[in-house]
Amino acid sequence: MNSNRPIGVFDSGIGGLTVVHALRRLLPGESLVYLGDTARVPYGTKSHATIERYTLQAGAILQRYDPKLLVIACNTASAHGLPALQAAATCPVLGVIEPGAELAAKVQGPVGVMGTLATVQSGAYETAIRRRMPGAEIHSLACPLLVSLAEEGWLDDPITTEICQRYLKQLPDAVKTIVLGCTHYPVLRPSLDRARPGTTWIDSGDVTARAVDALLENSLGYRTESSAGPLRVLFTDAGTRLKEVGSRFLGESLEAVELVEL
Ligand code: DGL
């Protein structure tokens, strides 16, 4: 097996660039191909069958780049499309929910999970956490407005803080650890911190990057070329603010993007 092959990363849109950011920080030598389905985002309001179908289509595009690993960076697509893509793909496929659940299951006391409506309705985090910690107390919260606020760039803003407070006050005070179960939420950390000070946030991007690292170390192998890992970015639609907003999620300037059709 050639360990210099890229890692394919898929998301419903630009949010998964937060996972790319975490991957590039931890594994700067890896070659990455990112596909964001910007033409059809959001997935978080769609049905199981649609999300599963979209995930399979995105996986098929990324397979063209002969990846050594596929990462579903999107929580919603991980919740609804992971088993189908694992069955269809010719390489291993990792979603963001299992790594997040792994960390959440180690928490003493109740845990909160924030996500899109489709992620929360799937119960995927509860299932994954309780598989590791039966009887865990989990409080899930759909926060549909937060995706738009993140895309608008209102990251550290009184209105965002107020909306976060309104969502988060639905959780019992005893919840001190909350999983950010959506690609868009890590960029909202300033407002989230202000809305619920003293909370430990589990960033699914960071934990997924660590899970990828473990997979490379244990079986798939690291890229051996000495040059910095290239990043290729594919979108299904390139709207006018794509580069500006995408750069915010990526944490670096988003240069060349390519358009693909699913
Ligand atoms: N990428 C999605 C997620 O992580 C958020 C955006 C969407 O609804 O498609 O759940």
Side-chain angles (χ1 to χ4, degrees):
M1 149 132 52
N2 175 5
S3 64
N4 290 325
R5 290 151 70 209
I7 298 170
V9 183
F10 157 63
D11 179 49
S12 58
I14 51 169
L17 290 169
T18 57
V19 178
V20 172
H21 173 72
L23 283 169
R24 277 167 75 78
R25 224 176 20 194
L26 189 68
L27 300 163
E30 291 302 315
S31 165
L32 303 177
V33 181
Y34 178 83
L35 170 60
D37 190 6
T38 39
R40 303 190 296 197
V41 72
Y43 284 12
T45 51
K46 296 190 168 69
S47 67
H48 171 82
T50 300
I51 300 165
E52 188 180 69
R53 179 162 49 88
Y54 287 0
T55 304
L56 286 171
Q57 290 169 342
I61 296 274
L62 283 171
Q63 292 265 263
R64 291 186 198 155
Y65 297 85
D66 189 24
K68 60 182 171 186
L69 171 69
L70 283 180
V71 178
I72 306 183
C74 177
N75 287 260
T76 307
S78 298
H80 291 273
L82 180 65
L85 187 54
Q86 280 174 328
T90 54
C91 66
V93 185
L94 180 73
V96 277
I97 289 180
E98 293 294 325
E102 182 78 40
L103 203 56
K106 294 189 178 126
V107 169
Q108 300 286 325
V111 181
V113 177
M114 299 164 71
T116 64
L117 199 57
T119 297
V120 168
Q121 281 174 346
S122 75
Y125 271 104
E126 280 94 335
T127 306
I129 295 170
R130 291 214 173 97
R131 200 183 312 122
R132 294 165 169 88
M133 172 64 88
E137 184 182 333
I138 306 160
H139 298 268
S140 296
L141 196 59
C143 307
L145 289 177
L146 299 189
V147 166
S148 314
L149 291 166
E151 297 207 353
E152 192 58 31
W154 294 5
L155 312 182
D156 188 3
D157 187 286
I159 291 176
T160 307
T161 303
E162 209 173 303
I163 293 174
C164 289
Q165 266 163 350
R166 184 145 169 189
Y167 281 133
L168 289 165
K169 77 176 181 209
Q170 297 173 57
L171 297 176
D173 291 343
V175 173
K176 302 290 182 210
T177 302
I178 300 176
V179 179
L180 300 176
C182 174
T183 49
H184 287 59
Y185 300 169
V187 297
L188 298 174
R189 273 292 295 277
S191 290
L192 287 163
D193 280 332
R194 206 161 306 117
R196 201 166 167 110
T199 302
T200 301
W201 308 100
I202 296 181
D203 177 338
S204 54
D206 281 343
V207 286
T208 300
R210 289 204 290 273
V212 170
D213 186 28
L215 269 176
L216 300 190
E217 187 176 358
N218 296 332
S219 55
L220 302 176
Y222 295 102
R223 178 170 170 264
T224 54
E225 287 163 31
S226 56
S227 56
L231 169 64
R232 191 163 180 176
V233 178
L234 318 171
F235 288 117
T236 52
D237 181 75
T240 45
R241 291 187 62 211
L242 189 77
K243 283 195 178 172
E244 178 207 331
V245 184
S247 302
R248 205 175 290 143
F249 283 78
L250 183 60
E252 58 186 279
S253 168
L254 185 58
E255 300 300 341
V257 302
E258 297 164 52
L259 276 180
V260 289
E261 226 170 275
L262 292 191

